[in-house]
């Protein structure tokens, strides 16, 4: 299988989801997401919402008790799809399945939750450049679906903020706190408690990453000091609390998307998601489609199941699926061994009084649980007074490992990566002196321990260092493609900062009960997603007429594929250039996205033939929320997407793309191609000449498998459209061959 990646940014990648009367106890009930069809009498009604609720309730059984233990309607959905969430027993479900208009029902899923320096790392600097030109996102509303918010935090002050746009229809459901011109709305949904206040910090962190206001002197435990700001610091925030510390209920997520569409948001930001599934049963995908039909841009986290292949969440092509990358800032904790070898790791906790002397070093392996510093370490009498080596992983958090080491009497901890973690290390708020080392350095630590009967080590703290030239690199945890729901679409779409991101936190990590200026450092695609939500807000502020697909194309086709050292972006191994299954189009470059020259636009209706190529008419109707008869279809690679993913079933494959000129009225673009290994690529015409803005032109691209080629691995290449003022030459060189993805030809 081959694949190919273009850009002028165009990135082309070629990859060569009547009621019975019953009474039941609450313990018999389970929450189901139910899809139904509308009767003809409701298709043209003028009071649709009220009539919809009546229609939905007609599917529910009538209970024989006035108690709250019977079946109950939890949410009515009006925008994202026609259906509802309800608590049902197995008997109720069987009865419902026989009713006219019923389509499907399944138990709801619980979705897992998937900065001072990162704006500067993205080229956003105060009072200059794109940040200033975009008015810092002023006037744009970002809807954040997460665990709530701490509105008292300085990041959510409204200094310099205008009032909400007149279109805003949302509500503020704090009991004692008022919303302001920054946090213009906050809602809570039934599956969580009764307040939008954040209880675990995740929502506060993601909201401030997307649109936190400027806060001087921000730091975490004295490190990463600077002026904190979100990517779109003057954008408005609308908060939808759908998550608790245990996860995010699917019914609440859908209800929040449904409400946010009515409220008038411009951007939806979801740092959460479930496993891959067909789009007709993926409620986030269905909700996102309803959103983009109304011009709302949707940004979602790719997931934290990397580096394993096909581990993505949120795969629909109308969603911007965001992977995670490193930034060039590290908070250094150095492990010095008794043989004088030194290895720079990371830790947010940097005590000033930790002795520089060598301590005995203990590796409690090879017992599987002991090597992960699980709770059984607490009873290990050999740990007292020593620095303990702990292997990353094993279902024990890195903070939890430190708690166990401290409880066992250890004085410090060195965390070493497993092979899949590679060079990705984290600066975290450990409760004792610690250093998190790479896999390669961890092997050297173990080799040293095995070489002597009395191993020792010390930990030295060097503080915040900026300037890692290997950044950005793909984070080990960032989920990878190829996609399962639609293999013909390359995902993730983009990568953005997601490792060691400093942003607002709901409480002091120093146990300072007086301070409100609290910040913490977190990692995950949960952190990269709001970065891209903020970038979309900046673009929307400048280009209010851009469609969600135009914004997405601008982001993808201007992405960087080189790091600060001007070498190809690497993955967590630091050995090979990362492939498109890890990076998508590359690393976001906000300033370039503001002026892409050409874009690949997709109208919502353009997805219909694409979806008809994947699913039945009934399944497509479930996604589009209207009756569709699939009379025609197109292959996935024919969608006007800024990438190609092709599996060679025939020797020659030809596809069409349409580009829209949003750069200069009179302009000419010449194509340049770097083909995938073993493939010939021909583009007709090879020059696109425009005479006006918004003019659309088509080109055809033909992929021909070379007869002499025996390549059965995935490969990639690039296509670049270059004009006098829009030349992205960095996208004309190959980004390596994805040798680890072995795929047979069809």
């Amino acid at each position: 299988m081959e694949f190919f990646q273009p850009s002028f940014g165009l990135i082309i990648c070629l990859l060569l989801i009547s009621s019975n009367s019953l009474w039941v106890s609450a313990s018999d009930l389970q929450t189901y997401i139910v899809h139904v069809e509308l009767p003809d009498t409701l298709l043209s009604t003028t009071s649709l919402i009220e009539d919809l609720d009546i229609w939905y309730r007609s599917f529910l059984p009538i209970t024989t008790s006035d108690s709250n233990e019977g079946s109950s309607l939890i949410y009515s959905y009006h925008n994202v799809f026609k259906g509802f969430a309800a608590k049902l027993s197995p008997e109720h479900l069987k009865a419902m399945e026989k009713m006219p208009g019923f389509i499907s029902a399944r138990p709801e899923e619980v979705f897992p939750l998937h900065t001072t320096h990162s704006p500067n790392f993205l080229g956003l600097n105060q009072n200059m450049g794109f940040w200033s030109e975009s008015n810092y996102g002023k006037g744009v509303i970002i809807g954040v679906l997460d665990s709530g918010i701490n509105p008292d935090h300085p990041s959510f002050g409204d200094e310099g903020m205008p009032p909400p746009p007149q279109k805003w229809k949302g509500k503020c459901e704090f009991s004692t706190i008022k919303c302001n011109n920054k946090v213009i709305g906050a809602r809570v949904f039934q599956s969580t408690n009764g307040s939008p206040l954040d209880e675990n910090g995740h929502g506060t962190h993601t909201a401030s990453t997307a649109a936190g206001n400027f806060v001087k002197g921000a730091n975490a435990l004295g490190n990463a000091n600077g002026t904190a700001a979100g990517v779109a610091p003057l954008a408005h925030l609308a908060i939808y609390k759908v998550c608790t510390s245990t996860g995010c209920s699917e019914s609440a997520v859908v209800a929040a998307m449904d409400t946010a569409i009515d409220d008038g948001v411009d951007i939806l930001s979801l740092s959460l998601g479930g496993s891959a599934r067909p789009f007709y049963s993926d409620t986030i995908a269905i909700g996102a489609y309803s959103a983009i039909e109304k011009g709302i841009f949707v940004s979602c986290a790719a997931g934290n199941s990397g580096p394993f292949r096909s581990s993505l969440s949120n795969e629909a092509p109308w969603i911007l699926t965001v992977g995670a990358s490193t930034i060039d800032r590290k908070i250094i904790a150095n492990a010095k061994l008794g043989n004088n070898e030194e290895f720079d790791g990371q830790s947010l906790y940097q005590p000033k009084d930790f002795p520089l002397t060598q301590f005995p070093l203990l590796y409690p392996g090879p017992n599987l649980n002991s090597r992960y510093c699980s709770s059984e370490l607490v009873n290990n009498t050999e740990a007292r007074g020593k620095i303990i080596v702990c292997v990353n992983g094993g279902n024990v958090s890195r903070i939890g490992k430190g708690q166990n080491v401290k409880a066992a009497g250890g004085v410090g901890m060195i965390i070493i990566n497993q092979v899949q973690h590679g060079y990705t290390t984290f600066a975290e708020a450990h409760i004792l002196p610690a250093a998190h080392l790479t896999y390669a350095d961890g092997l050297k630590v173990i080799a040293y321990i095995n070489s002597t009967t009395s191993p020792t080590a010390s930990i030295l703290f060097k503080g915040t260092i900026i300037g890692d030239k290997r950044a950005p690199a793909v984070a080990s945890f960032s989920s990878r493609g190829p996609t399962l729901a639609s293999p013909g679409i390359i995902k993730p779409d983009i990568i953005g900062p997601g490792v060691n991101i400093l942003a607002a936190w709901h409480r002091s990590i120093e146990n300072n009960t007086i301070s409100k200026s609290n910040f913490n450092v977190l990692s995950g695609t949960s952190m990269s997603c709001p970065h891209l939500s903020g970038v979309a807000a900046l673009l929307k502020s400048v280009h209010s007429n851009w469609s969600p697909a135009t914004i997405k194309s601008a982001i993808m086709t201007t992405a960087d594929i080189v790091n600060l050292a001007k070498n190809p972006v690497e993955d967590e191994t630091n050995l090979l250039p990362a492939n498109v299954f890890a990076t998508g189009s590359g690393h976001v470059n906000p300033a370039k996205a503001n002026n892409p020259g050409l874009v690949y636009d997709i109208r919502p209706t353009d997805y219909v033939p694409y979806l008809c190529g994947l699913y039945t008419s009934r399944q497509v109707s479930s996604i589009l929320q209207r009756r569709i008869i699939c009379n025609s279809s197109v292959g996935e690679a024919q969608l006007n997407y800024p990438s190609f993913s092709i599996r060679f079933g025939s020797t020659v494959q030809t596809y069409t793309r349409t580009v829209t000129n949003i750069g200069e009225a009179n302009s000419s673009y010449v194509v340049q191609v770097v083909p995938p290994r073993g493939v010939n690529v021909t583009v007709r015409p090879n020059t696109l000449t425009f005479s006006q803005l918004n003019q659309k032109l088509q080109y055809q691209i033909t992929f021909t498998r070379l007869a002499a080629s025996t390549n059965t691995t995935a490969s990639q290449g690039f296509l670049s459209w270059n004009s006098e003022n829009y030349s992205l030459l960095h996208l004309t060189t190959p980004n390596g061959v994805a040798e680890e993805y072995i795929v047979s030809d069809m």
Side-chain angles (χ1 to χ4, degrees), residues 144-160:
V144 179
L145 277 65
D146 214 294
S147 63
I149 195 170
N150 173 14
D152 286 342
H153 195 283
S155 291
F156 307 120
D158 63 355
E159 181 180 355

Short mmCIF file of all heavy atoms in Angstrom, two decimals, residues 144-160:
data_model
loop_
_atom_site.label_atom_id
_atom_site.label_comp_id
_atom_site.label_asym_id
_atom_site.label_seq_id
_atom_site.Cartn_x
_atom_site.Cartn_y
_atom_site.Cartn_z
N VAL A 144 -16.35 25.23 24.95
CA VAL A 144 -15.45 24.21 25.49
C VAL A 144 -16.28 23.17 26.25
O VAL A 144 -16.93 23.50 27.24
CB VAL A 144 -14.39 24.82 26.43
CG1 VAL A 144 -13.48 23.73 26.99
CG2 VAL A 144 -13.56 25.87 25.68
N LEU A 145 -16.26 21.94 25.76
CA LEU A 145 -16.95 20.83 26.43
C LEU A 145 -15.92 20.09 27.26
O LEU A 145 -15.02 19.44 26.71
CB LEU A 145 -17.59 19.89 25.41
CG LEU A 145 -18.96 20.28 24.87
CD1 LEU A 145 -18.89 21.55 24.05
CD2 LEU A 145 -19.55 19.15 24.04
N ASP A 146 -16.05 20.16 28.59
CA ASP A 146 -15.02 19.61 29.45
C ASP A 146 -15.58 19.45 30.86
O ASP A 146 -16.77 19.25 31.03
CB ASP A 146 -13.77 20.50 29.41
CG ASP A 146 -12.48 19.70 29.54
OD1 ASP A 146 -12.26 19.11 30.61
OD2 ASP A 146 -11.70 19.66 28.58
N SER A 147 -14.71 19.62 31.85
CA SER A 147 -15.09 19.37 33.25
C SER A 147 -15.51 20.64 33.98
O SER A 147 -15.60 20.64 35.21
CB SER A 147 -13.92 18.71 34.00
OG SER A 147 -12.80 19.58 34.05
N GLY A 148 -15.79 21.72 33.25
CA GLY A 148 -16.19 22.97 33.88
C GLY A 148 -15.07 23.98 33.90
O GLY A 148 -14.09 23.87 33.15
N ILE A 149 -15.17 24.95 34.78
CA ILE A 149 -14.19 26.03 34.81
C ILE A 149 -14.15 26.66 36.19
O ILE A 149 -15.14 26.65 36.93
CB ILE A 149 -14.54 27.10 33.74
CG1 ILE A 149 -13.37 28.05 33.49
CG2 ILE A 149 -15.80 27.87 34.12
CD1 ILE A 149 -13.57 28.97 32.30
N ASN A 150 -12.99 27.21 36.55
CA ASN A 150 -12.86 28.06 37.73
C ASN A 150 -12.87 29.50 37.24
O ASN A 150 -11.83 30.05 36.85
CB ASN A 150 -11.54 27.75 38.46
CG ASN A 150 -11.28 28.71 39.60
OD1 ASN A 150 -12.17 29.44 40.02
ND2 ASN A 150 -10.05 28.72 40.11
N PRO A 151 -14.05 30.16 37.25
CA PRO A 151 -14.15 31.48 36.62
C PRO A 151 -13.43 32.59 37.37
O PRO A 151 -13.22 33.67 36.82
CB PRO A 151 -15.67 31.73 36.59
CG PRO A 151 -16.18 30.95 37.76
CD PRO A 151 -15.33 29.72 37.84
N ASP A 152 -13.04 32.33 38.64
CA ASP A 152 -12.32 33.34 39.42
C ASP A 152 -10.85 33.45 39.03
O ASP A 152 -10.16 34.37 39.48
CB ASP A 152 -12.41 33.01 40.91
CG ASP A 152 -13.78 33.31 41.49
OD1 ASP A 152 -14.53 34.08 40.85
OD2 ASP A 152 -14.12 32.77 42.55
N HIS A 153 -10.37 32.54 38.23
CA HIS A 153 -8.95 32.55 37.88
C HIS A 153 -8.62 33.80 37.06
O HIS A 153 -9.42 34.22 36.21
CB HIS A 153 -8.61 31.29 37.08
CG HIS A 153 -7.14 31.02 36.98
ND1 HIS A 153 -6.33 31.71 36.11
CD2 HIS A 153 -6.34 30.15 37.64
CE1 HIS A 153 -5.09 31.27 36.24
NE2 HIS A 153 -5.07 30.31 37.16
N PRO A 154 -7.45 34.40 37.27
CA PRO A 154 -7.07 35.59 36.50
C PRO A 154 -7.09 35.38 34.99
O PRO A 154 -7.29 36.34 34.23
CB PRO A 154 -5.66 35.90 37.00
CG PRO A 154 -5.58 35.30 38.35
CD PRO A 154 -6.45 34.08 38.32
N SER A 155 -6.88 34.15 34.53
CA SER A 155 -6.92 33.89 33.09
C SER A 155 -8.28 34.18 32.48
O SER A 155 -8.40 34.35 31.27
CB SER A 155 -6.55 32.42 32.81
OG SER A 155 -5.19 32.18 33.10
N PHE A 156 -9.30 34.24 33.33
CA PHE A 156 -10.65 34.46 32.84
C PHE A 156 -11.20 35.83 33.21
O PHE A 156 -12.40 36.07 33.20
CB PHE A 156 -11.56 33.34 33.33
CG PHE A 156 -11.03 31.97 33.02
CD1 PHE A 156 -10.74 31.07 34.04
CD2 PHE A 156 -10.75 31.61 31.71
CE1 PHE A 156 -10.22 29.82 33.76
CE2 PHE A 156 -10.22 30.36 31.42
CZ PHE A 156 -9.95 29.46 32.44
N GLY A 157 -10.28 36.74 33.56
CA GLY A 157 -10.68 38.13 33.71
C GLY A 157 -11.04 38.72 32.36
O GLY A 157 -10.56 38.27 31.32
N ASP A 158 -11.89 39.75 32.38
CA ASP A 158 -12.38 40.27 31.09
C ASP A 158 -11.84 41.66 30.75
O ASP A 158 -12.45 42.39 29.97
CB ASP A 158 -13.90 40.28 31.07
CG ASP A 158 -14.51 41.20 32.12
OD1 ASP A 158 -13.77 41.76 32.94
OD2 ASP A 158 -15.75 41.34 32.10
N GLU A 159 -10.65 41.98 31.29
CA GLU A 159 -10.03 43.26 30.93
C GLU A 159 -9.75 43.29 29.43
O GLU A 159 -9.16 42.38 28.85
CB GLU A 159 -8.73 43.45 31.70
CG GLU A 159 -8.03 44.77 31.41
CD GLU A 159 -6.75 44.94 32.20
OE1 GLU A 159 -6.45 44.08 33.04
OE2 GLU A 159 -6.04 45.94 31.95
N GLY A 160 -10.21 44.36 28.77
CA GLY A 160 -10.01 44.51 27.33
C GLY A 160 -10.98 43.74 26.48
O GLY A 160 -10.87 43.75 25.24
#
